[in-house]
Amino acid sequence: MPLTVAFQMDHISGIKIAGDSTFALMLEAEARGHRLYHYTVDSMAMWDGKVTAVAEPVSVRDVAGDHYTLGAGERVELSSFDVIHMRQDPPFDLAYISATHMLERIHPETLVVNDPVEVRNAPEKLFVVDFADLMPPTLITRDRGAIKAFREEHGEVVIKPLYGHGGNAVFRLHPDDQNYGSLISLFEGLYPEPWVIQRYLTEVRAGDKRILLVDGEFAGAVNRIPAADDLRSNMVQGGQAAATELTPREREICERLGPELKKRGLIFVGIDVIGDYLTEINVTSPTGIRSVQKLSGIDVAAKIWDSIEKRRG
């Protein structure tokens, strides 16, 4: 049965379709005969207690530079959709949290992917601490004394904003790094929330693996290898995608996380693994679908839509 589906996303005109997971989900939805709509989060409103947005009908095609057609937009109640994909990019800030509060009012009668309550309660760099035994040594703080003690214990560390995304503001600090004081001062000025400090993992030079899970089950993976002159493996930061297989340790990590992801109703999740360590659980707008399909032939978008259609009957 065709579904009426809305994508809450950054404007479709600005996406790079070759690697965009939202676009992959749209292509699969259209191929299945679902009716698609597009809206941006800034058009959302609470209108006499009803959640609305200016939604435009959209059709998509896998042609760079000519990948979409939008129809006339009109303000509609979001509860009129069968499914809404919450796919705007982070940062996970108060604007993002406000959107989850609005969508919470219509879920699950309208299926929001992922569950907005659980998205709000599972910021990627905090949710992962529920599985601390799978992680590298990790400190979450903005206290200089705690950071100093952590560095003395672990030596080389990585520091990054708690609510950062896309590899932005990720720094490696050597034990005697003379940039330490300046970097901490910079973070104090830019990031009022706590920061994440982790022991540096030398295994990152071999890649930072993105593993995709659908309904808590392994669905596909891609290895992201950092450039020779960069710490970060994120593909938006110049990392290179490579085909990969799961190690026994990575399967163990997936099996540990799966039941909790299912319990929380997190349909589509991406986790990051470096060496033997889990570093993040991405629930806001996971990426990697198109890279996995290109490198391994696995169609993760189809798995996601199979799960959604099962829920919608």
Side-chain angles (χ1 to χ4, degrees):
M1 179 181 72
L3 300 172
T4 305
V5 181
F7 284 84
Q8 177 177 306
M9 59 188 291
D10 300 328
H11 199 276
I12 193 170
S13 62
I15 66 175
K16 297 179 180 178
I17 67 171
D20 194 274
S21 291
T22 304
F23 190 70
L25 291 167
M26 298 176 86
L27 285 172
E28 180 65 19
E30 188 160 284
R32 293 180 180 222
H34 301 317
R35 297 183 296 275
L36 307 188
Y37 290 79
H38 163 283
Y39 71 91
T40 57
V41 69
D42 58 315
S43 79
M44 294 177 70
M46 293 280 288
W47 194 295
D48 292 335
K50 297 175 181 177
V51 183
T52 69
V54 177
E56 302 157 298
V58 59
S59 61
V60 291
R61 50 202 166 268
D62 203 358
V63 180
D66 183 30
H67 59 279
Y68 71 97
T69 300
L70 291 175
E74 61 177 312
R75 183 164 294 279
V76 298
E77 289 187 37
L78 295 185
S79 61
S80 66
F81 294 107
D82 298 307
V83 180
I84 292 177
H85 285 270
M86 187 178 184
R87 292 288 307 177
Q88 79 269 23
D89 287 340
F92 189 79
D93 55 13
L94 284 174
Y96 210 108
I97 290 170
S98 297
T100 69
H101 280 291
M102 290 189 184
L103 292 177
E104 179 185 354
R105 291 175 170 263
I106 64 172
H107 178 81
E109 288 77 13
T110 290
L111 177 64
V112 180
V113 182
N114 285 314
D115 183 325
V117 174
E118 297 302 338
V119 167
R120 188 168 67 241
N121 290 340
E124 3 262 46
K125 296 178 183 68
L126 279 175
F127 178 26
V128 66
V129 179
D130 288 359
F131 305 91
D133 61 307
L134 302 178
M135 297 179 65
T138 299
L139 170 69
I140 298 176
T141 189
R142 56 182 285 119
D143 179 75
R144 286 186 178 231
I147 298 170
K148 181 175 182 291
F150 187 86
R151 291 183 73 215
E152 288 173 352
E153 179 176 351
H154 295 290
E156 200 166 3
V157 302
V158 169
I159 181 170
K160 53 191 174 182
L162 181 60
Y163 298 112
H165 64 102
N168 293 318
V170 179
F171 293 91
R172 174 184 177 184
L173 289 170
H174 298 278
D176 58 352
D177 201 316
Q178 294 184 354
N179 291 308
Y180 170 71
S182 294
L183 182 63
I184 294 300
S185 296
L186 180 66
F187 267 51
E188 286 174 336
L190 292 176
Y191 304 110
E193 68 277 357
W195 319 313
V196 179
I197 302 91
Q198 289 181 324
R199 189 183 77 198
Y200 174 70
L201 299 174
T202 58
E203 297 93 331
V204 73
R205 301 314 309 171
D208 178 351
K209 197 170 291 188
R210 166 55 57 89
I211 301 173
L212 304 181
L213 298 99
V214 176
D215 281 334
E217 302 288 339
F218 169 70
V222 60
N223 197 24
R224 302 171 300 175
I225 301 171
D229 61 351
D230 204 323
L231 164 69
R232 302 163 299 176
S233 58
N234 310 70
M235 285 179 278
V236 296
Q237 304 293 353
Q240 296 298 308
T244 189
E245 302 270 338
L246 290 196
T247 66
R249 171 64 167 174
E250 290 160 353
R251 292 192 180 279
E252 175 193 346
I253 290 172
C254 291
E255 289 167 3
R256 280 282 305 281
L257 268 56
E260 184 64 21
L261 301 180
K262 288 181 182 178
K263 186 177 84 172
R264 290 173 177 250
L266 295 168
I267 294 174
F268 178 32
V269 172
I271 66 172
D272 296 339
V273 177
I274 299 173
D276 287 337
Y277 294 101
L278 174 69
T279 60
E280 289 190 18
I281 303 174
N282 297 276
V283 304
T284 49
S285 186
T287 61
I289 291 177
R290 302 212 84 180
S291 294
V292 168
Q293 186 166 23
K294 178 181 178 181
L295 292 167
S296 69
I298 297 173
D299 192 343
V300 178
K303 294 176 184 284
I304 294 167
W305 277 108
D306 287 346
S307 174
I308 292 169
E309 289 172 355
K310 182 178 179 181
R311 281 171 166 80
R312 292 289 82 178

